[in-house]
Amino acid sequence: MSAVPDVLAPAGLGPITLRNRVIKAATFEGMTPDALVTDELIEYHRRPAAGGVGLTTVAYCAVAPEGRTERRQLWMRPEAVPGLRRLTEAVHAEGAAAAAQIGHAGPVADASSNGLPGLSAGRFFNPLGMRFTRAATAADIARVTRAHAEAARLAIEAGFDAVEIHFGHNYLASSFLSPLLNRRTDEYGGGLANRAKVALGIARAVREEAGDRIAVTAKLNMRDGVRGGLEVDDSLQVARWLQDEGLVDALELTAGSSLLNPMYLFRGDAPVPEFAANFKQPLNLGIRLFGKRFLRAYPYEDAFLLEHARRFRAELDLPLILLGGITTRATMDQAMAEGFEFVAMGRALLREPDLVARIAADPSTPSLCVHCNRCMPTIYTGTHCPLIPPR
Ligand SMILES: Cc1cc2nc3c(=O)[nH]c(=O)nc-3n(C[C@H](O)[C@H](O)[C@H](O)COP(=O)(O)O)c2cc1C
């Protein structure tokens, strides 16, 4: 048996080396009013970089305008590159690396905000955008696949060290993986090999573009947390295909559906009134009345995705990133002891961007995040932890 790695020591991720094994997970920033980088966005990533993470992930860089969750979201185009370059330079100056999360929101996109119809595996009503999505044609799939490769190319031009492809949360590729959302009868629907074609096609295109110039990772749902959705056995097979073709350097394991069961991603309290406040009537009232059903709460526990992730660790060889309720040195050490190569942290770093440095100084440092999830509705106005007093 090989020795358990030190989570705070340098580690290779594909062709790059990180100063440690702690990754800032993508937490959509809501800081790009013109769909371009702002100083606020740069500062949002500079802080965890200065605070000790090995890699910070810029969420969420859409690969096409209709793939944005809403119209102010950054999408990858030549115009976005100079701002992104300033961002990667600021992160590098703090000694950390930067990843761009690239993907297409598919049925999660707000079509009314984007002014463009949403795309998904099948025609589907998105209650937040109050619009039907359009079933993606083979030509749409080919275009979106190419757009992922182009986004990777632009990320390299902007100085990113890695791209993370979004295969989770019932975004486009994830909606194709879901037997519930994908009822197609063509070559992209039916058995798993067909449902996985979009994800695998995207991963191949990105890998081909990236080569070994940057690391390529993917964020994959282990399960959707929705009856009839993707389950662990199928997800494991997709992970195996990604591994066997050498398409990714590591997999970040996630769960949940931004469309059908968002709290499954997070666990903890459901911030229904704060979420409703971001929507006009009649949606506001609808969310207040039925929000407890849409935002169904799940009890929080540290390392809440570990049980499912263990199956992936047992059956796969490729490097895995454990995510979900990693908040202390003890949970990080547990992840390492169980064979995960990296850990990713979301909310705890919103609460304390310097948490990793503080844990390095004192391994008994507790996290101040109380998983109230009130950071979640702040994505509409500039993501932050509402428990931090304004500066
Ligand atoms: C405010 C907020 C925004 C998020 N935005 C994204 C996103 O854009 N893309 C993504 O893949 N996950 C997103 N997530 C999910 C996190 O990456 C992570 O999967 C989740 O918070 C669980 O990790 P944690 O327990 O360390 O917070 C978001 C989470 C939060 C709290």
Side-chain angles (χ1 to χ4, degrees), residues 103-161:
H104 189 293
V108 179
D110 183 339
S112 52
S113 169
N114 287 338
L116 295 162
L119 280 185
S120 89
R123 189 172 146 82
F124 184 86
F125 186 70
N126 176 333
L128 295 180
M130 297 296 277
R131 294 277 193 286
F132 279 94
T133 61
R134 189 165 64 72
T137 62
D140 290 321
I141 294 167
R143 172 179 61 82
V144 169
T145 302
R146 278 196 309 276
H148 279 79
E150 174 64 5
R153 190 186 69 73
L154 293 170
I156 294 169
E157 204 181 312
F160 281 98
D161 308 279

Side-chain angles (χ1 to χ4, degrees), residues 19-99:
R19 69 175 165 192
N20 62 44
R21 295 170 184 264
V22 185
I23 297 171
K24 158 80 181 67
T27 50
F28 176 58
E29 303 89 350
M31 293 173 181
T32 50
D34 301 319
L36 290 168
V37 172
T38 56
D39 289 347
E40 204 185 356
L41 183 77
I42 294 175
E43 183 59 11
Y44 184 95
H45 287 282
R46 194 199 60 76
R47 290 177 70 200
V53 300
L55 174 71
T56 183
T57 310
V58 178
Y60 143 86
C61 306
V63 301
E66 84 286 351
R68 293 172 290 178
T69 50
E70 49 119 344
R71 74 177 189 289
R72 289 166 301 181
Q73 189 164 51
L74 190 145
W75 56 285
M76 294 300 265
R77 58 205 194 284
E79 213 183 330
V81 169
L84 288 169
R85 192 175 301 115
R86 280 203 299 130
L87 188 154
T88 59
E89 282 167 5
V91 168
H92 291 155
E94 299 292 355

